Amino acid sequence: MTMTAFIDKAKIPTKLELETQIKTLGYNFRFNENFNLFDEFGGDCELDGQETFFEIYFIKKEEVISEMPSLDKDLDNYDSAFSFIWGADSIAGACISIISVALIDLCNSKVVFDDFEVWYDREKLLEEIPMFLEEENTNIDEAIKENLAFDKKKKSEKITNIILWSLLIITMLLMNRKIISWHIPSLLLVSVLIKSVIDHNKKRKFKH
């Protein structure tokens, strides 16, 4: 996804000015040491203790307009733009929205969501931030549930293996004492071997 903030190059705020303005928004946000608005790999920051990263491109206004000729905003007072690019990371989306709000407050930046060619004003950006955070919390909850289910399944499989091997050993001992016939140990051995093959194939499939 891409969000672009049009800006007058002469009015670009410093990192410190951005940080100061963002603090007034009330978010637990901070730029990491490597953050740099003029480096495509400079989108290094964190929100609520969660680190994230996004790409930043400082480009000429004309580059954006050439790709989105339908933009109808008055951009005469802007000569440049910051293009923020991120993927499925909701925290990155929230951070970009926060930075965009600060750019609007500090230098009257105009922001467009490139994917749908939709203009975002300050209020719209502030509305989006809690949505990004809620999406991230949902993703975390789902990941926790998946891990718990996986751990429960592994524990269940381990118990099953212990039971099968225990039964196999017991029946082998009973067979040696001629208390039972060879049929029962043989069936258990086959069951153990089949389960071992199935578990092995699952592990190989998971690795690939």
Side-chain angles (χ1 to χ4, degrees):
M1 291 178 279
T2 304
M3 185 170 284
T4 299
F6 290 94
I7 196 165
D8 179 357
K9 190 175 182 180
K11 297 179 180 179
I12 294 176
T14 64
K15 180 179 175 180
L16 180 59
E17 288 172 333
L18 275 174
E19 283 183 324
T20 303
Q21 183 59 35
I22 288 172
K23 283 181 181 178
T24 67
L25 301 176
Y27 288 100
N28 182 21
F29 173 97
R30 78 179 183 90
F31 291 117
N32 290 332
E33 185 179 347
N34 295 325
F35 182 86
N36 187 344
L37 275 174
F38 300 96
D39 183 349
E40 63 182 278
F41 301 112
D44 189 3
C45 55
E46 63 180 68
L47 180 62
D48 293 336
Q50 298 183 63
E51 292 188 8
T52 190
F53 170 82
F54 48 87
E55 297 175 40
I56 305 175
Y57 296 91
F58 182 62
I59 54 180
K60 293 181 179 180
K61 172 185 69 175
E62 289 74 18
E63 291 182 48
V64 183
I65 296 175
S66 65
E67 294 184 6
M68 293 186 288
S70 62
L71 296 182
D72 57 356
K73 285 278 185 179
D74 179 10
L75 299 172
D76 291 342
N77 295 326
Y78 305 89
D79 54 20
S80 306
F82 288 112
S83 184
F84 303 104
I85 300 176
W86 77 104
D89 185 358
S90 301
I91 293 296
C95 288
I96 290 168
S97 293
I98 289 171
I99 293 169
S100 297
V101 170
L103 289 173
I104 291 173
D105 291 343
L106 290 171
C107 45
N108 197 30
S109 179
K110 289 187 178 179
V111 179
V112 62
F113 185 32
D114 298 33
D115 298 54
F116 301 106
E117 299 188 17
V118 175
W119 291 101
Y120 273 40
D121 59 15
R122 190 179 191 278
E123 288 70 28
K124 178 66 175 174
L125 287 164
L126 289 173
E127 288 174 6
E128 291 272 298
I129 296 168
M131 295 179 188
F132 279 122
L133 296 177
E134 184 178 348
E135 183 180 343
E136 178 65 18
N137 291 333
T138 299
N139 291 338
I140 292 173
D141 290 342
E142 289 177 354
I144 291 172
K145 288 178 182 177
E146 287 178 3
N147 287 334
L148 288 174
F150 181 73
D151 290 342
K152 187 177 180 181
K153 186 177 179 181
K154 281 185 67 179
K155 186 177 180 180
S156 177
E157 289 177 350
K158 187 176 181 180
I159 292 172
T160 301
N161 287 333
I162 291 172
I163 292 172
L164 283 173
W165 279 103
S166 298
L167 287 173
L168 179 60
I169 292 168
I170 292 169
T171 53
M172 290 291 289
L173 291 171
L174 292 174
M175 184 188 72
N176 289 335
R177 295 181 183 181
K178 297 183 179 179
I179 297 174
I180 61 174
S181 69
W182 58 270
H183 297 89
I184 296 175
S186 298
L187 288 172
L188 281 170
L189 180 59
V190 170
S191 298
V192 169
L193 290 173
I194 290 174
K195 190 174 187 309
S196 296
V197 171
I198 292 172
D199 290 343
H200 178 70
N201 289 337
K202 282 182 179 178
K203 287 179 181 178
R204 286 182 62 187
K205 184 177 180 182
F206 178 76
K207 287 180 180 179
H208 291 299

Short mmCIF file of all heavy atoms in Angstrom, two decimals, residues 137-188:
data_model
loop_
_atom_site.label_atom_id
_atom_site.label_comp_id
_atom_site.label_asym_id
_atom_site.label_seq_id
_atom_site.Cartn_x
_atom_site.Cartn_y
_atom_site.Cartn_z
N ASN A 137 -4.18 -5.74 16.81
CA ASN A 137 -4.56 -6.51 18.00
C ASN A 137 -5.29 -7.79 17.63
O ASN A 137 -5.09 -8.84 18.24
CB ASN A 137 -5.44 -5.66 18.93
CG ASN A 137 -4.67 -4.52 19.58
OD1 ASN A 137 -3.46 -4.62 19.77
ND2 ASN A 137 -5.35 -3.44 19.91
N THR A 138 -6.14 -7.70 16.59
CA THR A 138 -6.85 -8.89 16.10
C THR A 138 -5.86 -9.91 15.56
O THR A 138 -5.97 -11.11 15.82
CB THR A 138 -7.85 -8.50 15.00
OG1 THR A 138 -8.80 -7.57 15.52
CG2 THR A 138 -8.59 -9.73 14.49
N ASN A 139 -4.86 -9.43 14.81
CA ASN A 139 -3.84 -10.34 14.26
C ASN A 139 -3.05 -11.02 15.36
O ASN A 139 -2.73 -12.20 15.27
CB ASN A 139 -2.89 -9.56 13.35
CG ASN A 139 -3.56 -9.09 12.07
OD1 ASN A 139 -4.58 -9.64 11.65
ND2 ASN A 139 -3.00 -8.07 11.44
N ILE A 140 -2.73 -10.25 16.43
CA ILE A 140 -1.99 -10.82 17.56
C ILE A 140 -2.82 -11.89 18.27
O ILE A 140 -2.32 -12.97 18.59
CB ILE A 140 -1.58 -9.71 18.55
CG1 ILE A 140 -0.53 -8.79 17.91
CG2 ILE A 140 -1.04 -10.31 19.85
CD1 ILE A 140 -0.20 -7.58 18.74
N ASP A 141 -4.12 -11.59 18.49
CA ASP A 141 -5.00 -12.55 19.15
C ASP A 141 -5.11 -13.84 18.34
O ASP A 141 -5.09 -14.95 18.90
CB ASP A 141 -6.41 -11.95 19.34
CG ASP A 141 -6.41 -10.85 20.39
OD1 ASP A 141 -5.46 -10.79 21.19
OD2 ASP A 141 -7.36 -10.04 20.40
N GLU A 142 -5.24 -13.70 17.02
CA GLU A 142 -5.35 -14.88 16.16
C GLU A 142 -4.06 -15.69 16.19
O GLU A 142 -4.09 -16.93 16.21
CB GLU A 142 -5.66 -14.45 14.73
CG GLU A 142 -7.09 -13.93 14.55
CD GLU A 142 -7.36 -13.45 13.14
OE1 GLU A 142 -6.41 -13.41 12.33
OE2 GLU A 142 -8.53 -13.13 12.85
N ALA A 143 -2.91 -15.00 16.22
CA ALA A 143 -1.62 -15.69 16.26
C ALA A 143 -1.48 -16.47 17.57
O ALA A 143 -0.98 -17.60 17.59
CB ALA A 143 -0.48 -14.69 16.11
N ILE A 144 -1.92 -15.86 18.68
CA ILE A 144 -1.86 -16.53 19.98
C ILE A 144 -2.73 -17.77 19.99
O ILE A 144 -2.33 -18.85 20.45
CB ILE A 144 -2.29 -15.57 21.11
CG1 ILE A 144 -1.24 -14.46 21.28
CG2 ILE A 144 -2.48 -16.31 22.43
CD1 ILE A 144 -1.67 -13.36 22.24
N LYS A 145 -3.95 -17.65 19.44
CA LYS A 145 -4.86 -18.80 19.38
C LYS A 145 -4.29 -19.93 18.52
O LYS A 145 -4.38 -21.11 18.87
CB LYS A 145 -6.21 -18.36 18.80
CG LYS A 145 -7.04 -17.50 19.75
CD LYS A 145 -8.34 -17.05 19.11
CE LYS A 145 -9.13 -16.15 20.04
NZ LYS A 145 -10.38 -15.65 19.40
N GLU A 146 -3.66 -19.55 17.40
CA GLU A 146 -3.06 -20.55 16.52
C GLU A 146 -1.91 -21.27 17.22
O GLU A 146 -1.77 -22.49 17.11
CB GLU A 146 -2.56 -19.90 15.24
CG GLU A 146 -3.68 -19.48 14.29
CD GLU A 146 -3.16 -18.79 13.04
OE1 GLU A 146 -1.92 -18.69 12.90
OE2 GLU A 146 -3.98 -18.35 12.22
N ASN A 147 -1.09 -20.51 17.95
CA ASN A 147 0.03 -21.11 18.67
C ASN A 147 -0.45 -22.04 19.77
O ASN A 147 0.12 -23.12 19.99
CB ASN A 147 0.92 -20.02 19.28
CG ASN A 147 1.74 -19.30 18.23
OD1 ASN A 147 2.03 -19.84 17.17
ND2 ASN A 147 2.11 -18.05 18.50
N LEU A 148 -1.51 -21.62 20.49
CA LEU A 148 -2.06 -22.46 21.55
C LEU A 148 -2.63 -23.76 20.97
O LEU A 148 -2.43 -24.84 21.54
CB LEU A 148 -3.16 -21.70 22.31
CG LEU A 148 -2.69 -20.57 23.23
CD1 LEU A 148 -3.88 -19.81 23.79
CD2 LEU A 148 -1.84 -21.13 24.37
N ALA A 149 -3.33 -23.63 19.83
CA ALA A 149 -3.91 -24.82 19.19
C ALA A 149 -2.80 -25.75 18.71
O ALA A 149 -2.90 -26.98 18.84
CB ALA A 149 -4.79 -24.40 18.02
N PHE A 150 -1.72 -25.16 18.17
CA PHE A 150 -0.59 -25.96 17.69
C PHE A 150 0.09 -26.68 18.84
O PHE A 150 0.42 -27.87 18.75
CB PHE A 150 0.40 -25.06 16.96
CG PHE A 150 1.59 -25.79 16.40
CD1 PHE A 150 1.46 -26.60 15.29
CD2 PHE A 150 2.83 -25.65 17.01
CE1 PHE A 150 2.55 -27.28 14.78
CE2 PHE A 150 3.93 -26.32 16.50
CZ PHE A 150 3.79 -27.14 15.38
N ASP A 151 0.30 -25.96 19.96
CA ASP A 151 0.94 -26.57 21.14
C ASP A 151 0.07 -27.69 21.71
O ASP A 151 0.59 -28.73 22.14
CB ASP A 151 1.17 -25.51 22.22
CG ASP A 151 2.26 -24.51 21.83
OD1 ASP A 151 3.04 -24.83 20.91
OD2 ASP A 151 2.30 -23.42 22.41
N LYS A 152 -1.24 -27.46 21.72
CA LYS A 152 -2.16 -28.48 22.23
C LYS A 152 -2.13 -29.73 21.36
O LYS A 152 -2.14 -30.86 21.86
CB LYS A 152 -3.58 -27.90 22.27
CG LYS A 152 -4.60 -28.81 22.94
CD LYS A 152 -5.96 -28.13 23.01
CE LYS A 152 -6.98 -29.04 23.69
NZ LYS A 152 -8.32 -28.40 23.75
N LYS A 153 -2.05 -29.51 20.04
CA LYS A 153 -2.01 -30.64 19.11
C LYS A 153 -0.72 -31.42 19.28
O LYS A 153 -0.71 -32.66 19.27
CB LYS A 153 -2.13 -30.12 17.67
CG LYS A 153 -2.23 -31.23 16.63
CD LYS A 153 -2.42 -30.65 15.24
CE LYS A 153 -2.50 -31.77 14.21
NZ LYS A 153 -2.66 -31.22 12.83
N LYS A 154 0.41 -30.70 19.43
CA LYS A 154 1.70 -31.36 19.62
C LYS A 154 1.71 -32.18 20.91
O LYS A 154 2.24 -33.29 20.94
CB LYS A 154 2.82 -30.32 19.66
CG LYS A 154 3.25 -29.80 18.30
CD LYS A 154 4.44 -28.88 18.40
CE LYS A 154 5.68 -29.63 18.85
NZ LYS A 154 6.86 -28.71 18.92
N LYS A 155 1.13 -31.60 21.97
CA LYS A 155 1.07 -32.30 23.25
C LYS A 155 0.23 -33.57 23.13
O LYS A 155 0.60 -34.63 23.65
CB LYS A 155 0.49 -31.37 24.32
CG LYS A 155 0.51 -31.95 25.72
CD LYS A 155 -0.01 -30.93 26.72
CE LYS A 155 0.02 -31.51 28.13
NZ LYS A 155 -0.49 -30.53 29.13
N SER A 156 -0.90 -33.45 22.41
CA SER A 156 -1.78 -34.59 22.21
C SER A 156 -1.08 -35.70 21.43
O SER A 156 -1.19 -36.89 21.75
CB SER A 156 -3.05 -34.15 21.48
OG SER A 156 -3.88 -35.24 21.21
N GLU A 157 -0.35 -35.30 20.38
CA GLU A 157 0.39 -36.27 19.57
C GLU A 157 1.47 -36.96 20.39
O GLU A 157 1.72 -38.16 20.24
CB GLU A 157 1.00 -35.59 18.35
CG GLU A 157 -0.02 -35.17 17.30
CD GLU A 157 0.61 -34.43 16.14
OE1 GLU A 157 1.81 -34.08 16.24
OE2 GLU A 157 -0.09 -34.20 15.13
N LYS A 158 2.14 -36.21 21.26
CA LYS A 158 3.19 -36.76 22.10
C LYS A 158 2.63 -37.80 23.06
O LYS A 158 3.22 -38.88 23.25
CB LYS A 158 3.87 -35.64 22.87
CG LYS A 158 5.10 -36.09 23.65
CD LYS A 158 5.77 -34.90 24.31
CE LYS A 158 7.02 -35.34 25.08
NZ LYS A 158 7.70 -34.19 25.73
N ILE A 159 1.47 -37.48 23.66
CA ILE A 159 0.82 -38.41 24.58
C ILE A 159 0.41 -39.68 23.85
O ILE A 159 0.58 -40.80 24.36
CB ILE A 159 -0.40 -37.75 25.25
CG1 ILE A 159 0.07 -36.63 26.19
CG2 ILE A 159 -1.23 -38.76 26.02
CD1 ILE A 159 -1.05 -35.78 26.75
N THR A 160 -0.14 -39.51 22.63
CA THR A 160 -0.56 -40.67 21.83
C THR A 160 0.63 -41.57 21.52
O THR A 160 0.52 -42.81 21.61
CB THR A 160 -1.20 -40.19 20.51
OG1 THR A 160 -2.33 -39.36 20.80
CG2 THR A 160 -1.66 -41.38 19.67
N ASN A 161 1.75 -40.97 21.17
CA ASN A 161 2.96 -41.75 20.87
C ASN A 161 3.44 -42.52 22.09
O ASN A 161 3.83 -43.69 21.98
CB ASN A 161 4.08 -40.83 20.37
CG ASN A 161 3.84 -40.34 18.96
OD1 ASN A 161 3.16 -41.00 18.18
ND2 ASN A 161 4.39 -39.19 18.62
N ILE A 162 3.39 -41.89 23.24
CA ILE A 162 3.82 -42.55 24.49
C ILE A 162 2.93 -43.74 24.78
O ILE A 162 3.41 -44.83 25.15
CB ILE A 162 3.80 -41.55 25.66
CG1 ILE A 162 4.90 -40.49 25.48
CG2 ILE A 162 3.98 -42.27 27.00
CD1 ILE A 162 4.83 -39.35 26.48
N ILE A 163 1.62 -43.54 24.61
CA ILE A 163 0.66 -44.63 24.87
C ILE A 163 0.89 -45.80 23.92
O ILE A 163 0.93 -46.97 24.33
CB ILE A 163 -0.79 -44.11 24.75
CG1 ILE A 163 -1.10 -43.13 25.89
CG2 ILE A 163 -1.78 -45.27 24.77
CD1 ILE A 163 -2.42 -42.41 25.75
N LEU A 164 1.06 -45.50 22.63
CA LEU A 164 1.25 -46.56 21.63
C LEU A 164 2.53 -47.36 21.91
O LEU A 164 2.53 -48.60 21.87
CB LEU A 164 1.31 -45.95 20.23
CG LEU A 164 -0.03 -45.54 19.61
CD1 LEU A 164 0.18 -44.82 18.29
CD2 LEU A 164 -0.92 -46.76 19.40
N TRP A 165 3.63 -46.64 22.19
CA TRP A 165 4.88 -47.33 22.45
C TRP A 165 4.81 -48.13 23.75
O TRP A 165 5.37 -49.24 23.84
CB TRP A 165 6.04 -46.33 22.52
CG TRP A 165 6.54 -45.93 21.16
CD1 TRP A 165 6.29 -44.78 20.49
CD2 TRP A 165 7.35 -46.73 20.30
NE1 TRP A 165 6.91 -44.78 19.27
CE2 TRP A 165 7.57 -45.97 19.11
CE3 TRP A 165 7.93 -48.01 20.40
CZ2 TRP A 165 8.33 -46.45 18.06
CZ3 TRP A 165 8.68 -48.48 19.34
CH2 TRP A 165 8.89 -47.71 18.18
N SER A 166 4.13 -47.60 24.75
CA SER A 166 3.98 -48.33 26.02
C SER A 166 3.19 -49.61 25.82
O SER A 166 3.57 -50.68 26.33
CB SER A 166 3.28 -47.44 27.05
OG SER A 166 4.04 -46.29 27.33
N LEU A 167 2.10 -49.51 25.06
CA LEU A 167 1.29 -50.70 24.77
C LEU A 167 2.08 -51.73 23.98
O LEU A 167 1.96 -52.94 24.20
CB LEU A 167 0.03 -50.29 24.01
CG LEU A 167 -1.05 -49.56 24.83
CD1 LEU A 167 -2.17 -49.06 23.91
CD2 LEU A 167 -1.63 -50.50 25.89
N LEU A 168 2.88 -51.23 23.04
CA LEU A 168 3.68 -52.14 22.22
C LEU A 168 4.68 -52.91 23.08
O LEU A 168 4.84 -54.14 22.94
CB LEU A 168 4.42 -51.35 21.14
CG LEU A 168 5.31 -52.17 20.20
CD1 LEU A 168 4.50 -53.21 19.44
CD2 LEU A 168 6.04 -51.25 19.21
N ILE A 169 5.35 -52.20 23.98
CA ILE A 169 6.33 -52.85 24.87
C ILE A 169 5.64 -53.88 25.78
O ILE A 169 6.14 -55.01 25.96
CB ILE A 169 7.07 -51.80 25.72
CG1 ILE A 169 7.96 -50.94 24.81
CG2 ILE A 169 7.91 -52.46 26.81
CD1 ILE A 169 8.51 -49.71 25.49
N ILE A 170 4.48 -53.48 26.33
CA ILE A 170 3.76 -54.38 27.24
C ILE A 170 3.31 -55.64 26.51
O ILE A 170 3.48 -56.78 27.01
CB ILE A 170 2.56 -53.66 27.87
CG1 ILE A 170 3.04 -52.56 28.83
CG2 ILE A 170 1.65 -54.63 28.60
CD1 ILE A 170 1.95 -51.63 29.31
N THR A 171 2.75 -55.46 25.33
CA THR A 171 2.26 -56.63 24.58
C THR A 171 3.41 -57.52 24.11
O THR A 171 3.26 -58.75 24.04
CB THR A 171 1.44 -56.18 23.36
OG1 THR A 171 2.20 -55.26 22.57
CG2 THR A 171 0.13 -55.52 23.78
N MET A 172 4.58 -56.93 23.82
CA MET A 172 5.74 -57.73 23.45
C MET A 172 6.17 -58.60 24.63
O MET A 172 6.52 -59.78 24.47
CB MET A 172 6.88 -56.83 23.01
CG MET A 172 6.66 -56.13 21.67
SD MET A 172 6.68 -57.26 20.27
CE MET A 172 8.42 -57.68 20.22
N LEU A 173 6.17 -58.01 25.83
CA LEU A 173 6.53 -58.77 27.01
C LEU A 173 5.53 -59.90 27.27
O LEU A 173 5.92 -61.02 27.61
CB LEU A 173 6.59 -57.83 28.23
CG LEU A 173 7.74 -56.80 28.25
CD1 LEU A 173 7.55 -55.82 29.39
CD2 LEU A 173 9.08 -57.53 28.39
N LEU A 174 4.25 -59.56 27.12
CA LEU A 174 3.21 -60.59 27.32
C LEU A 174 3.31 -61.69 26.28
O LEU A 174 3.08 -62.87 26.57
CB LEU A 174 1.82 -59.93 27.27
CG LEU A 174 1.48 -58.98 28.42
CD1 LEU A 174 0.15 -58.29 28.18
CD2 LEU A 174 1.45 -59.75 29.75
N MET A 175 3.67 -61.32 25.05
CA MET A 175 3.82 -62.33 24.00
C MET A 175 5.00 -63.26 24.31
O MET A 175 4.93 -64.48 24.12
CB MET A 175 4.03 -61.64 22.65
CG MET A 175 4.10 -62.61 21.48
SD MET A 175 4.57 -61.81 19.93
CE MET A 175 6.32 -61.50 20.26
N ASN A 176 6.11 -62.66 24.78
CA ASN A 176 7.28 -63.47 25.13
C ASN A 176 6.97 -64.47 26.24
O ASN A 176 7.58 -65.54 26.32
CB ASN A 176 8.44 -62.57 25.55
CG ASN A 176 9.03 -61.82 24.36
OD1 ASN A 176 8.91 -62.27 23.22
ND2 ASN A 176 9.66 -60.67 24.62
N ARG A 177 6.06 -64.08 27.11
CA ARG A 177 5.65 -64.99 28.20
C ARG A 177 4.52 -65.92 27.76
O ARG A 177 3.95 -66.64 28.57
CB ARG A 177 5.22 -64.17 29.41
CG ARG A 177 6.36 -63.37 30.04
CD ARG A 177 5.89 -62.60 31.26
NE ARG A 177 6.97 -61.79 31.81
CZ ARG A 177 6.83 -61.04 32.89
NH1 ARG A 177 5.65 -61.00 33.54
NH2 ARG A 177 7.85 -60.33 33.35
N LYS A 178 4.14 -65.78 26.48
CA LYS A 178 3.10 -66.64 25.88
C LYS A 178 1.74 -66.46 26.56
O LYS A 178 0.93 -67.36 26.61
CB LYS A 178 3.52 -68.11 25.95
CG LYS A 178 4.78 -68.39 25.13
CD LYS A 178 5.13 -69.86 25.15
CE LYS A 178 6.38 -70.10 24.31
NZ LYS A 178 6.78 -71.53 24.30
N ILE A 179 1.53 -65.23 27.05
CA ILE A 179 0.23 -64.92 27.65
C ILE A 179 -0.75 -64.50 26.55
O ILE A 179 -1.95 -64.77 26.63
CB ILE A 179 0.37 -63.82 28.71
CG1 ILE A 179 1.27 -64.33 29.86
CG2 ILE A 179 -0.99 -63.38 29.25
CD1 ILE A 179 1.59 -63.27 30.90
N ILE A 180 -0.24 -63.81 25.52
CA ILE A 180 -1.06 -63.42 24.37
C ILE A 180 -0.37 -63.89 23.10
O ILE A 180 0.82 -64.22 23.09
CB ILE A 180 -1.28 -61.89 24.32
CG1 ILE A 180 0.08 -61.17 24.18
CG2 ILE A 180 -2.06 -61.40 25.53
CD1 ILE A 180 -0.06 -59.68 23.98
N SER A 181 -1.13 -63.88 21.99
CA SER A 181 -0.56 -64.30 20.71
C SER A 181 0.20 -63.15 20.07
O SER A 181 0.17 -62.02 20.56
CB SER A 181 -1.67 -64.77 19.77
OG SER A 181 -2.47 -63.68 19.38
N TRP A 182 0.86 -63.40 18.97
CA TRP A 182 1.67 -62.39 18.29
C TRP A 182 0.82 -61.37 17.53
O TRP A 182 1.31 -60.33 17.09
CB TRP A 182 2.64 -63.06 17.30
CG TRP A 182 1.93 -63.92 16.26
CD1 TRP A 182 1.63 -65.23 16.37
CD2 TRP A 182 1.45 -63.48 15.00
NE1 TRP A 182 0.97 -65.69 15.25
CE2 TRP A 182 0.86 -64.61 14.38
CE3 TRP A 182 1.46 -62.27 14.32
CZ2 TRP A 182 0.26 -64.57 13.12
CZ3 TRP A 182 0.88 -62.23 13.06
CH2 TRP A 182 0.29 -63.35 12.47
N HIS A 183 -0.49 -61.66 17.36
CA HIS A 183 -1.34 -60.78 16.57
C HIS A 183 -1.44 -59.36 17.14
O HIS A 183 -1.35 -58.38 16.41
CB HIS A 183 -2.76 -61.37 16.44
CG HIS A 183 -2.79 -62.67 15.72
ND1 HIS A 183 -2.63 -63.88 16.38
CD2 HIS A 183 -2.94 -62.96 14.41
CE1 HIS A 183 -2.71 -64.85 15.50
NE2 HIS A 183 -2.89 -64.33 14.28
N ILE A 184 -1.64 -59.28 18.45
CA ILE A 184 -1.84 -57.96 19.07
C ILE A 184 -0.59 -57.09 18.96
O ILE A 184 -0.66 -55.93 18.53
CB ILE A 184 -2.30 -58.11 20.53
CG1 ILE A 184 -3.66 -58.79 20.58
CG2 ILE A 184 -2.36 -56.74 21.22
CD1 ILE A 184 -4.16 -59.09 21.98
N PRO A 185 0.61 -57.61 19.32
CA PRO A 185 1.82 -56.79 19.15
C PRO A 185 2.05 -56.39 17.70
O PRO A 185 2.52 -55.27 17.42
CB PRO A 185 2.95 -57.71 19.64
CG PRO A 185 2.29 -58.68 20.54
CD PRO A 185 0.93 -58.89 19.99
N SER A 186 1.73 -57.28 16.77
CA SER A 186 1.93 -56.98 15.35
C SER A 186 1.03 -55.82 14.92
O SER A 186 1.47 -54.91 14.20
CB SER A 186 1.62 -58.21 14.50
OG SER A 186 2.50 -59.27 14.82
N LEU A 187 -0.23 -55.85 15.35
CA LEU A 187 -1.16 -54.77 15.00
C LEU A 187 -0.69 -53.43 15.59
O LEU A 187 -0.76 -52.40 14.94
CB LEU A 187 -2.56 -55.10 15.51
CG LEU A 187 -3.31 -56.21 14.75
CD1 LEU A 187 -4.60 -56.58 15.48
CD2 LEU A 187 -3.61 -55.77 13.32
N LEU A 188 -0.20 -53.50 16.83
CA LEU A 188 0.29 -52.27 17.45
C LEU A 188 1.53 -51.75 16.74
O LEU A 188 1.70 -50.54 16.55
CB LEU A 188 0.61 -52.53 18.93
CG LEU A 188 -0.59 -52.55 19.88
CD1 LEU A 188 -0.19 -53.04 21.25
CD2 LEU A 188 -1.21 -51.15 19.99
#
